[in-house]
Amino acid sequence: MTFAGSLRAGKHQLTFADGRVHLMGVLNLSAESKNTPTVAKSVEDALTIAERHRSSGASIIDVGAQSSHFDNPDLDPTEEIDRLARPVERLVSEGFLVSVDTWKPRVASAAIELGASIINDTGGLQHPEMIRVVTEADVAAVAMYLEGDSPLDVGAIDIEGSLVELMIRRLRDRLDGLTGLGIDDTIVDPGIGISYRTDRGSYTAHQLDVIRNLDRFGSLGRPVLLPVPRKPELAPTLAMATLALEHGADMLRVHDVLAVAEIARLMEKM
């Protein structure tokens, strides 16, 4: 099942029809990130990467200044805002639809003031202050499945058989609560881009299980965002992106925009 409606994100409108997908190109402002091709060291770098993503087929630029890998330091919100401010302001002024990847309410609030249209809350859109920030703003928000309070506060994820039913049930409860607060422009993320302190082989099997069941997440009635896990080699990364396109993703968050866009065009998903 794919999402067939539209999503309002600030002044932007994202339309989903006929199984087409939106690509979210990753832009890192975190020097700690290991994904060096998408790390910008200046505002001009950020604009260059964003323009490359857009020309390759991305309709959204997802900007993050705090690494979500549990090995990396937890930045003070002031430092995270300092890293984000000028690049986000420049991208918005150049007409980009900007999403900001953060789990900190102060950072989200600052990003919204700078013109961000989507808050990609990697804390799971579960904390009251973040919910208040989103409720008071004209933005869309990502509700991600997370076992923990933040991506830096995760342990091992207990993988005994398929977790899909549990994940869908918990996400449905979360979305129902958000709808009750007037937050309707939400995007669902199964959260398999988060690194848990779990055996890599079993976690990869879990990621593949979720991807093969993406159409079931579509039953939640929201666009389904799949952050494609970036593996050490490009081939398995692209294999996961292809599976996600086949199994009902409405949005893909990717570092390798051009390669994924070419696959999506081949599958007539763009």
Side-chain angles (χ1 to χ4, degrees), residues 9 37-38 57 83 247 261:
T38 55
R83 291 181 177 189
H247 287 283

Side-chain angles (χ1 to χ4, degrees), residues 108-186:
S109 181
I112 291 166
E113 289 183 13
L114 291 163
S117 297
I118 300 174
I119 297 301
N120 183 7
D121 180 6
T122 40
L125 201 54
Q126 58 185 333
H127 299 297
E129 184 61 18
M130 182 64 91
I131 291 171
R132 183 193 64 78
V133 168
V134 172
T135 302
E136 295 177 357
D138 184 26
V139 294
V142 178
M144 188 187 78
Y145 181 85
L146 180 71
E147 293 197 8
D149 289 329
S150 83
L152 301 187
D153 182 39
V154 295
I157 185 170
D158 185 15
I159 304 171
E160 290 291 337
S162 177
L163 299 182
V164 169
E165 281 301 324
L166 171 68
M167 297 169 75
I168 291 173
R169 185 168 66 249
R170 289 181 177 175
L171 284 168
R172 181 174 285 110
D173 290 344
R174 178 83 42 78
L175 293 170
D176 287 347
L178 294 170
T179 298
L181 295 170
I183 302 175
D184 295 311
D185 292 306
T186 47

Side-chain angles (χ1 to χ4, degrees), residues 5 26 28 109 125 156 202:
V26 176
N28 284 315
S109 181
L125 201 54
S202 61

Side-chain angles (χ1 to χ4, degrees), residues 4-5 31 45 48 83 92 114 133 177 238 257:
D45 271 357
T48 297
R83 291 181 177 189
V92 170
L114 291 163
V133 168
L238 296 184
V257 175

Side-chain angles (χ1 to χ4, degrees), residues 23 159 258:
L23 299 185
I159 304 171
L258 180 58

Side-chain angles (χ1 to χ4, degrees), residues 15-37:
T15 301
F16 301 83
D18 303 322
R20 303 301 172 94
V21 301
H22 286 276
L23 299 185
M24 180 183 275
V26 176
L27 171 58
N28 284 315
L29 301 173
S30 166
E32 298 81 17
S33 175
K34 297 176 183 177
N35 294 309
T36 53

